[in-house]
Amino acid sequence: MGLTQKILLFTSLLVVALVATTVAYTSIEANRLAHQNVDRALLEGKAFWDGFQQDRYAKLKLGLGVLANDPAFKAAVQTHDPATIKDILQERGRDLGADFFIATDPAGRVVGRSDEGWNEGEDLGKDPVVRGPLDGDSSSSTLWRRGKTLFQAVSMPMQIGETAVGVLVAGYRISEGLANQIQRLTQSEVAFLSRDGARPLELSVASQGVEAPALRALLEARRLPSSGSPFELDLDGDRHVAIDIPLKAATGEDMGSMLIMKSLATERAAFDRFRSSLVFTSLVVMAAGLVVAYWGAARITGPLSLLVALVERVREGSYAGAVTITSSDEIGTLATAFDRMREGIADREEKIRRMALQDPLTGLPNRSLFVDRVEHALGLLERGSDELAVVTLDIDRFKDVNETLGHVLGDRVLQDVASRLQNALRSSDTVARFGADEFGVLLSGAGGEEALRVCRKILGTFEVPLVIEGQRLHLAASVGVAMGGSHGRDAESLIRNAGKAMAVAKRNNAGFALYDPSYDTRESRLWLIEELRNALERRELCVHFQPKAALKTGSVSQVEALVRWIHPERGTIPPDQFIPLAEQTGLVRSVTRYVLEESIRQAGAWQSRGLPLEVAVNISARDLWDAELPGEITRMVQAAAVEPQRVRLEITESAIMEDPERALDILKNSTDLGFRLSIDDFGTGYSSLAYLRKLPVDELKIDRSFVKGMVADRGDSAIVQSTIDLGHNMGLEVVAEGVESGTVWEALKGAGCDLAQGYFLSKPLPPNDLERWLRERRHKEGVRGIGD
Ligand code: C2E
Ligand code: CA
Ligand code: CA
């Protein structure tokens, strides 16, 4: 149920309850008032009756007195002259307002009358009406009953001198007319009931409107209470309140009673009308109340649903549109509070949004916004729009600036650089800060020439020294440029390539550089060198050993040390890939020392375990420049307690030929120290025989490219054969490397080659595996050597 319905329901319940209590209360009160009114009316009726009776009595008594003293009348009574009596009575009676007159003789017998109700000569002597005056009462008044009819009578004695002439009686009938008259005057219904001795009450007369049959039925059933106080009476379904006034003769004889009644329904009719109009008014008020309640509810729920709609909008992330509720009540306060909340959220969200896309220090767009703009520009480029260039900039030695000036001033430097960049560029270009001292610029519509011009302009801004806290600061920057499209199809690779160009510019102190695709190979080489340096530091390189076997006997007394690099991310990196690089950068000297150290240590270990092996280590061209190397190897063999002649240095033919003089020096030096020498990859270096003769080597290793082809290729086979012969002529041992099959093995054996090395014998193995391999082989060799 909605708020409006609740308010309407509540209001109508309130109005209904109010009307119900009012109607109930007024009903009770009206009933009470009706009873009270009726009771009062009845008592008034009783009082009226009493007064009425006395009035009539006084009037009759006066008239009777005049008549009783009328000599002519008295004479007529005395003479029993009924005609005269009747004439006089009828004439006077009209004046007195009496219904009847009777005159009796002194014995109480009727001598004259005005009415047919009494007979001439009738004896009323015993009747109290007549008896009293006969016995000497001057006058008496009483109720008189004849049959069902009731009368009010006044009697008076008539005398002539001392002689009693008779009695004069006058009175009136308690008739329907009288009852009606009383009803008119008292506004109450009236009934006279008569009683004859012990017989039940009988209806004598009743005023108009009294339900006579119903009253008669009640009387016959003797269902009429007799009491002085008002009682209720049901007359044919109409409730009455009645009062009963006993009618008694002067002698005290019970004549019956007079009932004064009032209908409650009549009395309440006025109230009922009032109640109907009350209910009607209430209904009107209720309808009006509902209209007002609806209006009031709408005033509350209207703004509320407006607020709900707004909350919904805010929830969906739309903060536009202020609340338009201006009322000064609680709803208005709520609306204002809500509006403030809405503004607060909008503000904070705007701030978060800015922070997500803006660099807080310089207020420049951050990297993600920059990427976004570059992507957008690239999108336009695809649709044939202008060219674009991405520029990255890095302040040279900013670390030093930060360290000497502190971070606070360092931040000011960055802010200054930011504003200089912005001033140097067009407003259509985007300047962003990537973080630290790195900035990016998007030049839309710029070709290569224009981009380089802007780079110069940017660098120009650094020529003016920065003044921070009175200190003049000379800064320099390196800038790299990548062109949209040709140097990258997406923002990230454009930024990355501009960064590579920037790194080159920095390395070469060139100020700026345009990206060149060849940087990529250079880049990966730099990376590799860096990683190799780390691997050496962390001693992540390891050395594997490949055995050489004597072709005649198959016995193994020599192994070649070969470096292995398993990079944690790149996996195995073959020596062919990193050794040449290491040679270029000079790092190879560290590699050589490393391998020498590991190998000699290993040789010492094997020797101590009863495996005396000669270890051959590859020496690169660069090592031949290292005059200290022989001395160092000496320290190593001493430390490992290995005889120097168990260490062999393999030097490629081409390495020797790079600088033959120097090579000769160091090689001599080495052999003087007791080490052995091999010429590696023989046949690829174009060495002169004359020179070779001067070298203190004792072994030649035929390059594997010849060995591999010697079975299939006549030329290779000839080279192998002549190399063997040449070596032997020079008194050298000849080793064939890269022996992959038994056929080659046999061919070499046939050719008189001394030693063989290759996968056919064994792959290079980790030291432990090699040791196991050797022990197993020695065991077999004890029975029969390989190849034999
Ligand atoms: P290298 O001195 O000629 O070494 C022999 C190479 O031939 C090794 O390659 C070895 O694994 C491989 N090999 C041995 N038997 C066979 C075979 O039957 N068939 C074929 N196809 N190849 C075989 P690796 O280990 O990849 O080394 C390649 C080159 O890297 C070496 O040629 C050497 O010049 C250089 N190198 C290796 N270790 C070192 C080192 O510790 N110091 C220096 N300076 N150079 C090294
Ligand atoms: Ca070698
Ligand atoms: Ca070789």
Side-chain angles (χ1 to χ4, degrees):
M1 198 192 286
L3 190 57
T4 310
Q5 285 95 316
K6 277 185 189 162
I7 290 174
L8 290 183
L9 183 73
F10 177 74
T11 315
S12 20
L13 284 178
L14 199 73
V15 172
V16 166
L18 204 72
V19 170
T21 34
T22 310
V23 168
Y25 174 75
T26 42
S27 283
I28 294 166
E29 190 60 10
N31 219 18
R32 196 181 64 77
L33 277 175
H35 271 277
Q36 199 176 305
N37 277 353
V38 168
D39 290 357
R40 197 177 52 238
L42 295 180
L43 291 175
E44 273 170 13
K46 184 171 183 273
F48 172 81
W49 172 246
D50 289 345
F52 177 83
Q53 261 182 312
Q54 276 166 24
D55 232 43
R56 281 288 179 99
Y57 169 64
K59 212 170 169 187
L60 284 173
K61 200 176 157 192
L62 201 74
L64 274 187
V66 173
L67 202 59
N69 289 315
D70 185 334
F73 183 65
K74 280 197 276 193
V77 172
Q78 211 168 23
T79 55
H80 290 240
D81 181 357
T84 314
I85 294 169
K86 196 171 181 177
D87 284 348
I88 294 171
L89 285 180
Q90 278 177 344
E91 188 199 322
R92 293 291 176 87
R94 271 195 302 276
D95 298 342
L96 282 171
D99 287 339
F100 70 91
F101 285 95
I102 300 168
T104 66
D105 61 11
R109 266 188 301 269
V110 176
V111 286
R113 56 195 162 88
S114 65
D115 201 91
E116 303 306 315
W118 286 268
N119 303 317
E120 212 119 328
E122 185 180 339
D123 185 8
L124 298 175
K126 286 197 183 76
D127 205 305
V129 181
V130 178
R131 186 79 259 145
L134 285 180
D135 288 352
D137 294 347
S138 61
S139 71
S140 70
S141 164
T142 187
L143 275 172
W144 204 17
R145 177 170 53 80
R146 282 178 70 83
K148 271 196 334 187
T149 315
L150 291 167
F151 301 88
Q152 165 117 47
V154 176
S155 52
M156 198 176 274
M158 281 185 294
Q159 285 174 310
I160 297 174
E162 291 298 309
T163 319
V165 176
V167 173
L168 186 58
V169 181
Y172 57 91
R173 181 186 281 120
I174 296 180
S175 63
E176 201 180 316
L178 178 69
N180 286 340
Q181 196 188 350
I182 297 171
Q183 186 191 15
R184 261 196 317 280
L185 290 170
T186 60
Q187 294 293 308
S188 302
E189 288 159 23
V190 176
F192 286 93
L193 314 172
S194 67
R195 189 195 299 275
D196 187 4
R199 284 170 60 193
L201 284 167
E202 266 181 297
L203 178 62
S204 171
V205 287
S207 63
Q208 233 169 13
V210 171
E211 282 291 337
L215 187 57
R216 244 178 233 119
L218 272 178
L219 290 172
E220 266 159 39
R222 296 176 184 249
R223 292 243 319 269
L224 207 64
S226 60
S227 75
S229 47
F231 58 92
E232 284 199 18
L233 190 67
D234 190 8
L235 284 185
D236 221 15
D238 188 359
R239 285 210 77 68
H240 285 70
V241 177
I243 192 164
D244 153 278
I245 302 162
L247 298 176
K248 285 196 164 52
T251 52
E253 190 195 345
D254 181 9
M255 293 277 152
S257 25
M258 177 191 185
L259 274 184
I260 308 178
M261 298 169 285
K262 226 167 151 59
S263 159
L264 276 173
T266 320
E267 192 58 31
R268 273 210 303 239
F271 161 72
D272 285 342
R273 273 196 310 279
F274 165 72
R275 187 171 57 183
S276 307
S277 62
L278 182 73
V279 169
F280 174 75
T281 320
S282 301
L283 287 174
V284 171
V285 166
M286 184 160 127
L290 287 180
V291 170
V292 171
Y294 183 80
W295 176 77
R299 269 182 63 94
I300 296 170
T301 55
L304 277 183
S305 19
L306 219 81
L307 280 178
V308 168
L310 257 144
V311 169
E312 203 51 37
R313 279 223 309 276
V314 168
R315 195 184 64 76
E316 281 162 5
S318 149
Y319 304 111
V323 183
T324 50
I325 301 163
T326 49
S327 59
S328 55
D329 53 12
E330 286 85 343
I331 299 262
T333 316
L334 178 66
T336 315
F338 175 80
D339 216 35
R340 266 190 236 121
M341 186 189 79
R342 179 188 61 79
E343 280 169 12
I345 294 175
D347 269 6
R348 277 195 297 280
E349 206 181 75
E350 171 62 22
K351 217 173 275 168
I352 290 167
R353 206 178 55 78
R354 268 207 310 275
M355 266 160 68
L357 296 176
Q358 224 177 41
D359 166 45
L361 179 67
T362 59
L364 292 177
N366 64 9
R367 197 176 193 282
S368 26
L369 182 54
F370 186 77
V371 166
D372 218 56
R373 297 243 173 113
V374 175
E375 291 292 356
H376 180 73
L378 282 169
L380 294 178
L381 195 72
E382 260 169 34
R383 269 174 267 144
S385 167
D386 276 344
E387 297 165 290
L388 73 93
V390 168
V391 176
T392 58
L393 178 145
D394 186 280
I395 302 169
D396 295 342
R397 289 182 304 282
F398 184 72
K399 230 177 115 196
D400 298 347
V401 174
N402 244 350
E403 274 165 14
T404 46
L405 293 181
H407 284 277
V408 178
L409 295 184
D411 283 354
R412 290 215 359 226
V413 170
L414 290 173
Q415 285 166 336
D416 203 289
V417 168
S419 62
R420 282 184 185 208
L421 282 176
Q422 273 178 308
N423 292 338
L425 297 163
R426 295 172 305 175
S427 58
S428 57
D429 300 328
T430 300
V431 183
R433 178 167 171 245
F434 291 171
D437 57 333
E438 251 192 83
F439 293 86
V441 180
L442 167 63
L443 303 171
S444 27
E449 284 299 309
E450 168 70 3
L452 294 180
R453 197 189 61 74
V454 173
C455 286
R456 272 182 227 111
K457 197 172 171 196
I458 289 173
L459 291 173
T461 66
F462 283 88
E463 276 161 22
V464 184
L466 253 76
V467 182
I468 300 277
E469 302 240 308
Q471 291 190 59
R472 289 163 69 80
L473 213 66
H474 289 274
L475 287 180
S478 302
V479 175
V481 188
M483 300 306 299
S486 52
H487 295 161
R489 303 211 162 276
D490 58 275
E492 285 296 349
S493 47
L494 266 179
I495 294 169
R496 197 171 48 241
N497 289 341
K500 284 174 194 164
M502 182 181 77
V504 169
K506 188 164 278 208
R507 209 167 31 243
N508 301 339
N509 261 324
F512 66 89
L514 182 65
Y515 172 76
D516 185 313
S518 73
Y519 288 168
D520 269 337
T521 45
R522 262 188 254 173
E523 279 298 313
S524 63
R525 279 189 215 148
L526 285 177
W527 178 85
L528 210 64
I529 287 299
E530 200 52 43
E531 286 297 291
L532 181 60
R533 208 186 300 276
N534 293 335
L536 279 164
E537 256 170 41
R538 298 187 211 128
R539 301 195 75 79
E540 278 171 5
L541 299 179
C542 59
V543 181
H544 286 190
F545 297 90
Q546 191 177 34
K548 303 176 189 172
L551 277 162
K552 271 193 197 137
T553 61
S555 70
V556 175
S557 56
Q558 297 184 26
V559 289
E560 181 183 359
L562 294 159
V563 71
R564 291 292 176 262
W565 181 14
I566 299 162
H567 189 272
E569 284 152 24
R570 285 268 190 101
T572 305
I573 301 175
D576 285 336
Q577 246 179 55
F578 67 91
I579 292 291
L581 260 179
E583 281 174 339
Q584 281 170 28
T585 55
L587 194 63
V588 77
R589 287 158 67 164
S590 306
V591 177
T592 305
R593 267 157 227 252
Y594 184 93
V595 178
L596 276 167
E597 216 168 276
E598 290 289 306
S599 310
I600 293 167
R601 204 179 42 74
Q602 190 58 54
W606 279 326
Q607 188 176 298
S608 63
R609 292 205 289 273
L611 272 178
L613 284 171
E614 187 191 290
V615 184
V617 177
N618 294 282
I619 300 293
S620 81
R622 276 288 185 112
D623 295 317
L624 296 175
W625 295 58
D626 186 357
E628 283 161 17
L629 187 64
E632 221 139 290
I633 306 171
T634 306
R635 274 194 291 283
M636 288 178 203
V637 291
Q638 281 166 356
V642 172
E643 295 157 20
Q645 57 269 25
R646 290 203 180 277
V647 175
R648 180 180 292 277
L649 305 178
E650 292 190 7
I651 303 131
T652 60
E653 190 189 6
S654 50
I656 294 167
M657 296 318 289
E658 264 184 39
D659 191 346
E661 292 303 312
R662 188 186 281 267
L664 192 61
D665 275 358
I666 197 163
L667 295 178
K668 275 203 169 137
N669 200 352
S670 299
T671 43
D672 289 348
L673 289 168
F675 308 123
R676 301 202 163 162
L677 293 177
S678 283
I679 295 180
D680 206 353
D681 301 348
F682 188 78
T684 57
Y686 315 102
S687 52
S688 75
L689 211 57
Y691 175 74
L692 281 179
R693 279 187 195 283
K694 289 199 241 170
L695 289 176
V697 293
D698 58 4
E699 188 182 83
L700 271 186
K701 292 185 83 169
I702 310 172
D703 191 76
R704 60 180 180 271
S705 55
F706 306 115
V707 175
K708 211 175 182 177
M710 68 176 290
V711 182
D713 193 321
R714 282 189 152 273
D716 283 351
S717 152
I719 290 172
V720 171
Q721 187 63 66
S722 56
T723 308
I724 295 167
D725 295 342
L726 176 78
H728 286 167
N729 282 339
M730 283 169 39
L732 308 175
E733 276 197 304
V734 180
V735 184
E737 55 177 23
V739 180
E740 292 180 355
S741 66
T743 329
V744 176
W745 181 278
E746 290 304 323
L748 286 168
K749 202 172 164 184
C753 191
D754 304 296
L755 296 157
Q757 179 186 352
Y759 297 162
F760 179 66
L761 185 65
S762 165
K763 289 200 165 187
L765 297 170
N768 290 342
D769 293 358
L770 181 88
E771 191 176 332
R772 199 178 312 126
W773 180 85
L774 264 179
R775 292 198 189 279
E776 278 169 22
R777 186 180 168 77
R778 287 266 163 98
H779 182 71
K780 280 189 231 159
E781 224 172 55
V783 188
R784 204 172 180 87
I786 193 164
D788 287 323

